[in-house]
Amino acid sequence: MARPRKPLLSTDRIVDTARALVDTEGLAAVSTRRLAAELGVSGPSLYNHFATKDQILEAVADSVSAQVDLSMFEDGREWRTALHDWAVSYRAALRDHPNIVPVLARGPGRRPAGLRLADAVFGAMVEAGWPPSQATSIGALMRYFVMGSALGSFAGGFVDDATAYDPADYPHLGQAHLLAEHQEKIDERAFETGLRALLDGLASQFEGLRRESSDSLPT
């Protein structure tokens, strides 16, 4: 009887396995030795696809960036709506893979999906009428906001033991022990509240730019 063939080693298979390790055990779990064991191959065979562990983590980060929907920048949505919908998709991808956020926070570097993401946001803002310098700032501040929201849970940071919140010391935290129980709802509401406030502020700035531009036209 023929021996069953092992699945062929591929870049995608390495990245998928590494991403699963990062998701479940964190960045420190990824090593060429551990990946080779998970994949059932010899360590040196990985070097046919990636020269270093850092390259593998970069590829994992880019695979997460590739999960972010960019269609809202191509289908005619108004810039504010597009930014909102993109931020929601971006956060969903990072929420599903929070352990890779520190790598993503370094910036896109040479990662193709990360660069496509940056290009889409910048291009859409310039096309909408934002000056290039401010379009760059918008891309940066959105990244700060979304990544910050994905790094941890506000509600989940409170223990569910009511005795931890002695009213003599924390008179306003009488209900804090209930926060963790409603973690997802609270965190989602906080994200939407912050996102609306951020977009309201940008919309106000945009109107100011339009007024300045109109006032500067010769009469």
Side-chain angles (χ1 to χ4, degrees):
M1 180 180 295
R3 296 173 64 184
R5 296 178 59 188
K6 292 182 179 179
L8 292 176
L9 190 61
S10 67
T11 297
D12 287 344
R13 189 166 168 241
I14 295 170
V15 171
D16 289 345
T17 302
R19 186 174 59 240
L21 274 177
V22 172
D23 287 345
T24 56
E25 300 182 35
L27 295 172
V30 178
S31 68
T32 53
R33 178 179 296 181
R34 177 69 184 279
L35 278 175
E38 293 285 332
L39 292 161
V41 300
S42 63
S45 63
L46 296 177
Y47 296 117
N48 294 323
H49 300 271
F50 295 100
T52 66
K53 169 187 169 178
D54 284 344
Q55 286 186 2
I56 295 172
L57 292 177
E58 288 288 310
V60 170
D62 213 37
S63 74
V64 173
S65 292
Q67 298 175 14
V68 181
D69 183 15
L70 299 177
S71 64
M72 64 285 298
F73 298 120
E74 303 166 354
D75 61 12
R77 269 174 262 189
E78 185 262 344
W79 69 265
R80 174 175 171 155
T81 301
L83 270 185
H84 174 277
D85 296 347
W86 168 72
V88 170
S89 177
Y90 194 9
R91 178 173 180 260
L94 300 190
R95 185 185 56 210
D96 290 342
H97 308 282
N99 291 336
I100 200 64
V101 171
V103 179
L104 287 165
R106 300 172 191 164
R110 296 178 180 271
R111 300 192 298 266
L115 290 171
R116 283 193 294 271
L117 189 154
D119 180 74
V121 175
F122 177 79
M125 295 306 100
V126 171
E127 187 173 339
W130 285 96
S133 61
Q134 287 173 286
T136 298
S137 296
I138 290 171
L141 74 89
M142 294 297 290
R143 190 166 72 89
Y144 299 152
F145 175 71
V146 175
M147 285 192 177
S149 73
L151 282 174
S153 165
F154 171 81
F158 291 83
V159 299
D160 59 1
D161 179 4
T163 64
Y165 309 101
D166 188 329
D169 296 320
Y170 316 109
H172 306 296
L173 297 182
Q175 301 296 307
H177 64 287
L178 302 175
L179 292 175
E181 180 182 351
H182 305 284
Q183 174 179 328
E184 183 174 353
K185 179 180 179 180
I186 292 169
D187 290 346
E188 287 291 334
R189 187 171 61 209
F191 177 76
E192 280 292 338
T193 298
L195 183 56
R196 284 197 303 271
L198 188 156
L199 294 174
D200 284 346
L202 287 177
S204 177
Q205 288 185 37
F206 191 65
E207 286 303 311
L209 287 172
R210 295 179 66 178
R211 285 194 299 270
E212 289 176 10
S213 177
S214 176
D215 291 344
S216 66
L217 293 175
T219 56

